[in-house]
Each structure stands twice: as structure tokens, then as C-alpha cells.
Amino acid sequence: HLRSNDFRPDRHHRTGDQHLRWIKHLIMPRLITAWVCFLMLAACSPKIMIHRATTDDIILLPRAEAENKISTCYEPLSYVAHPELLRLKYVRVNIHFMNSSDGRYNMPEEETTNYAQEWIKVTNSNLERNMQMFLPRGNTTPVLDIPYRYVISPDPTVPGDDGVYYHIDDELCYAVKTGRDRNISDKRVIEKYAVRDDSVMNIFLQTHHLDSIPSPTYRPDASGISLGSSVKIFGNWHKRPNVWDIRGITNHEIGHSLGLSHTWGGHDGCDDTPAHPNCWNVTNKPPCDSLYSNNMMDYNAHMAALTPCQIGKIVMNMTRLGAIQRNILEPRWCVLDTSATITISDSIRWEGSADLEGNIVIRDGGILEIGCRVSMPEGSNIKIFPGGKLVILSTGKIHNSCNSQWEGIEFVEERKMKGRLYIMEGGKIENTLHPLGTQL
């Protein structure tokens, strides 16, 4: 370090030669030392480069000799094995209030929008609090978050549209559950009034026929039916039922549209939903003193529990290209959300399909095996650090499901060390902005 005295003028004036000698013997050695230190630090610092993957970087693997006859892509539990893939999905809905010309079969139109918004809010609250299963008794069935919600979806092509509709129709405003005039499965109201039913779940509210309600043999309770991408909910809408009382049946019927079956028969395709006598609530007499359910897909007082298998079935349907359950979702996976980046630091195998909303980062020691379809949003990429590995199995594919392109795969090189990209025979990389995968 330079001392302050080094710059203090001497008592006697220095000549030019004395100044040169002073610079040569005092300043120069210190400048040279500083420059050497800088060069040594530069040489010791790691050299990091970004290398975009090309077909030359791909390590081809032969197809595995023994493969499962049934792909894990069709196993519901594959879709709940990795929480990082369970991003919230949003089901688009619109609401149709059916009334008669005399106004007796439903509430006034000016009340419908607020009622619909509160109804959907309360119905979502059931999805936010999944319950522990009551059956089988003493079970330890995992309680997973239910990964979907409903959003009222206006028609963007209609100015002022709010997704809540009001129809006056004396023939289609009512429902009859039983008897000669039974019409609950009649699709005419859907065919006539559905809006964007190829991309939105249409919910129709029909009041029980006013002549049927007084009959002692007729039950004018809250009920409904799923008819593909539309649902009909029956109740006494002219009396403005409390939205808390109809949230369960709403989730139940939409659950059918999302691919679930009744569970009490024990044949719904899920091992974690046991058969039972379908008791509405607990009583003092067998079998309802112990064998009562709270599952959303049974008829009971709770309708507030979904098992891992049931959630897996819904998510599996939501990732099936072309499926009704997928078409009614807001496609949030088409737009890059960097906060949704997934970082892989250990060994993971994704055995279900997924539509990602962010990037993928594979760190040193991380191994990601992809066994099904994985969609990357536009503008996203996969970064592989030294020591990281990406393996695309024979049933795996990375692509963009939004008719667009994604950036592709990048290697982060450090001192000429980089990660590895393996593709098994049959595996695919598609829709990259750069030509990776076009020659596979």
C-alpha cells in the first residue's frame, strides 16, 4: 500500500531524474504486483458458458428390453406423485338462470350476477379444504390439495358479457326428476342456450316443477346431472337457496364431468374409495352408525373429500390432448411464468403427462427422467448444469401444446464440463425454436 509520506514533497526540490527514479523504484513494483494478482485471479475464476443443445449433444439409448404393458401415463396415481407438477387449474364456467314468463321459476334477473359470484366462491371454498376420508374406518389415506378451481368466464366477443345469463322459456325452465314427465336428462336446454360449450362448462339452474313440489312422493331436493361439458342443477331457485347448501351437489356434478364416478359401488377405478351403503349421514342404527362417507362423489351431508386416486384421474383427464376436461380449462400453460420454474436437484422420474408453466433447471446431481408428454410454454427453456442429466424415455415427449414453440435445451458449461442429454429410442423433442429434435 502507498503511504501518505510517499506523496509528501521533500524539503528540497527534486530534479526530473529524481522523479523518474522515484517512479521506477516505488510505484512500478507495486503496479506490477497488482497486475499479477489480477491475472492470477482471472485464471482461477471458473469460465462459464451457455451452450445451446443441438442434435450433436444427444446421447441415444436403445429401447428398454422390458417395458410395462400399460403405460404409467394412464395410471391416475402417476399424476399426484410429484407436487411440483400439481399447479392449480382453472375450470371456466358460465351460469344460466332459467325462468318462466310469469317469473315464478327463478329469482329476478337483477339478483343473478351477485348470486352466481357468491355461489362459485363458496363452491370453491369446498375445494380449498379437502377432508380426511371417513372410510374405511381408521384409514390413513393421504389428504392432498385439490388442484382446480372454477372461474366465471364471460364471452370475450360480446361487449359487457359477464358469463351469467338469464333465459325466459316456459317449456325449459323447470325440471321433473321422476314420473312420466321426467326430463332431467333432456339436452334441449343445452342445445338451445349453451354458450361456448366447446371451451366452457355451462351450468343450468332449473327449478323443480311447481306442480310437483307439493306432492308427498316427490323430493324437490338439490340435485343435478352431468351431461358432458354441461351440468344441470335442480333446486327451488325461486326461493333463493343458501349457496352453502348447494356447494356439495355442484362439486359432485362437475366431478362427473371431470371424469369421476360414484364410489359407493366400489367400481369407480380407485382402490382408495371403498364400497359402502351410501348413507346420507351417521345414525344410531347399522350400517350407518359407522359406514357413512364424506366423499364428494357419494350422496352424503358432506361431499367434501377426494382421494389421491380421484384427484389423479381428474388431473390425468385435464392433461389429455383433446379431452373435454382439458378444453374447459384456462390454458395458463401457454404463457411463461418464471416464478413457476422447477429445479431438479436429485433423481426424479415423471411418469404422468404435464403442462408446465415455467422453465426447468437441472442442477449438479439432478436426474430428470420424462416418461410421458411434457409441454413447455412459449419462451421457456431447460437448463442443464454440469453433473445434471435429462433422460427422455421411449414413451416421453417434450413439446409445446399451444401451437407455438419453446426455446429448447441449454447446457451451462463450466471449465468445459457440461451435463448430459439422453433420448431413448421412441422419445421425442418437438416444437423447439431452434432445430433440436428435427433430425430424430
Side-chain angles (χ1 to χ4, degrees):
H1 297 278
L2 298 177
R3 297 187 299 273
S4 60
N5 289 336
D6 295 331
F7 294 95
R8 194 164 52 197
D10 295 331
R11 295 178 183 177
H12 304 289
H13 181 70
R14 286 178 177 146
T15 66
D17 291 341
Q18 288 175 325
H19 275 291
L20 291 174
R21 286 196 299 271
W22 178 70
I23 294 173
K24 179 179 178 181
H25 294 289
L26 180 64
I27 301 297
M28 290 302 294
R30 295 176 182 180
L31 289 175
I32 293 171
T33 301
W35 179 249
V36 170
C37 290
F38 172 78
L39 293 177
M40 291 176 65
L41 288 172
C44 294
S45 62
K47 295 182 179 179
I48 298 177
M49 298 178 61
I50 303 296
H51 167 69
R52 190 175 299 282
T54 68
T55 53
D56 293 334
D57 296 300
I58 296 170
I59 303 172
L60 295 176
L61 299 176
R63 188 184 297 268
E65 293 183 2
E67 294 185 350
N68 295 331
K69 293 183 179 179
I70 300 177
S71 170
T72 57
C73 306
Y74 304 102
E75 292 288 344
L77 292 179
S78 297
Y79 290 82
V80 294
H82 300 286
E84 69 271 15
L85 299 180
L86 291 178
R87 297 276 295 181
L88 270 179
K89 306 295 185 186
Y90 294 88
V91 179
R92 294 181 289 210
V93 301
N94 56 38
I95 318 294
H96 300 259
F97 290 80
M98 304 300 303
N99 206 348
S100 57
S101 55
D102 59 11
R104 299 172 61 212
Y105 275 85
N106 218 311
M107 63 190 73
E109 184 174 4
E110 58 269 20
E111 299 180 21
T112 55
T113 296
N114 288 340
Y115 186 93
Q117 291 172 346
E118 183 65 18
W119 175 32
I120 293 302
K121 177 181 176 181
V122 167
T123 304
N124 275 332
S125 72
N126 251 27
L127 301 178
E128 294 168 1
R129 294 186 291 271
N130 195 11
M131 290 182 67
Q132 176 70 46
M133 281 278 288
F134 287 175
L135 296 176
R137 295 187 65 184
N139 74 86
T140 58
T141 303
V143 181
L144 306 182
D145 291 338
I146 299 175
Y148 66 91
R149 302 289 186 270
Y150 313 121
V151 289
I152 297 178
S153 180
D155 187 341
T157 66
V158 178
D161 185 67
D162 62 0
V164 179
Y165 307 106
Y166 199 78
H167 309 293
I168 302 298
D169 192 312
D170 290 327
E171 184 179 4
L172 300 176
C173 64
Y174 61 83
V176 179
K177 290 175 55 180
T178 58
R180 181 184 61 186
D181 297 324
R182 183 178 184 272
N183 69 349
I184 60 174
S185 58
D186 189 340
K187 294 184 178 181
R188 286 181 300 162
V189 68
I190 298 169
E191 294 166 352
K192 186 173 182 178
Y193 295 111
V195 176
R196 301 162 60 216
D197 60 342
D198 59 338
S199 57
V200 180
M201 169 78 64
N202 284 252
I203 304 176
F204 291 86
L205 309 185
Q206 293 176 307
T207 295
H208 295 285
H209 199 292
L210 297 182
D211 291 341
S212 300
I213 292 174
S215 172
T217 61
Y218 188 88
R219 296 181 58 188
D221 53 359
S223 55
I225 189 170
S226 164
L227 298 168
S229 61
S230 294
V231 164
K232 296 164 68 174
I233 305 293
F234 316 124
N236 296 323
W237 301 108
H238 60 302
K239 294 183 178 180
R240 302 163 184 76
N242 189 313
V243 290
W244 289 93
D245 296 333
I246 56 175
R247 69 192 191 281
I249 191 62
T250 305
N251 279 326
H252 177 98
E253 297 305 335
I254 294 179
H256 282 311
S257 289
L258 295 178
L260 299 184
S261 303
H262 294 140
T263 70
W264 63 78
H267 306 293
D268 67 332
C270 286
D271 293 335
D272 51 12
T273 54
H276 58 86
N278 198 28
C279 301
W280 174 256
N281 211 336
V282 61
T283 67
N284 295 326
K285 296 181 180 180
C288 296
D289 57 342
S290 59
L291 299 179
Y292 61 98
S293 172
N294 63 339
N295 193 277
M296 186 185 295
M297 300 313 297
D298 299 325
Y299 293 138
N300 58 69
H302 300 279
M303 291 186 179
L306 285 179
T307 68
C309 177
Q310 290 177 303
I311 293 173
K313 287 181 72 173
I314 290 174
V315 176
M316 181 175 67
N317 288 333
M318 287 179 171
T319 62
R320 248 182 340 116
L321 299 178
I324 290 175
Q325 295 86 354
R326 179 183 178 81
N327 293 341
I328 60 176
L329 299 179
E330 287 189 348
R332 299 193 179 191
W333 56 84
C334 291
V335 179
L336 176 62
D337 177 2
T338 54
S339 69
T341 295
I342 297 175
T343 300
I344 307 297
S345 301
D346 51 10
S347 184
I348 291 179
R349 175 181 286 198
W350 291 343
E351 296 185 315
S353 297
D355 295 283
L356 305 188
E357 297 177 20
N359 300 308
I360 299 176
V361 175
I362 305 177
R363 294 287 183 181
D364 182 12
I367 302 174
L368 175 60
E369 297 182 350
I370 293 179
C372 298
R373 181 190 68 79
V374 172
S375 174
M376 302 292 296
E378 183 179 2
S380 67
N381 62 41
I382 299 176
K383 276 189 171 64
I384 307 176
F385 280 76
K389 297 178 182 178
L390 174 61
V391 184
I392 303 173
L393 303 177
S394 60
T395 54
K397 179 173 76 169
I398 306 178
H399 73 134
N400 174 275
S401 62
C402 305
N403 296 318
S404 187
Q405 293 177 308
W406 61 292
E407 291 291 326
I409 300 172
E410 294 179 345
F411 292 105
V412 180
E413 297 186 21
E414 186 174 333
R415 292 184 178 180
K416 297 184 179 180
M417 296 176 60
K418 68 175 186 179
R420 295 289 184 266
L421 170 60
Y422 299 91
I423 300 183
M424 187 176 290
E425 181 185 355
K428 298 177 181 178
I429 299 176
E430 297 176 349
N431 312 126
T432 54
L433 184 61
H434 304 281
L436 174 63
T438 57
Q439 299 177 25
L440 296 180

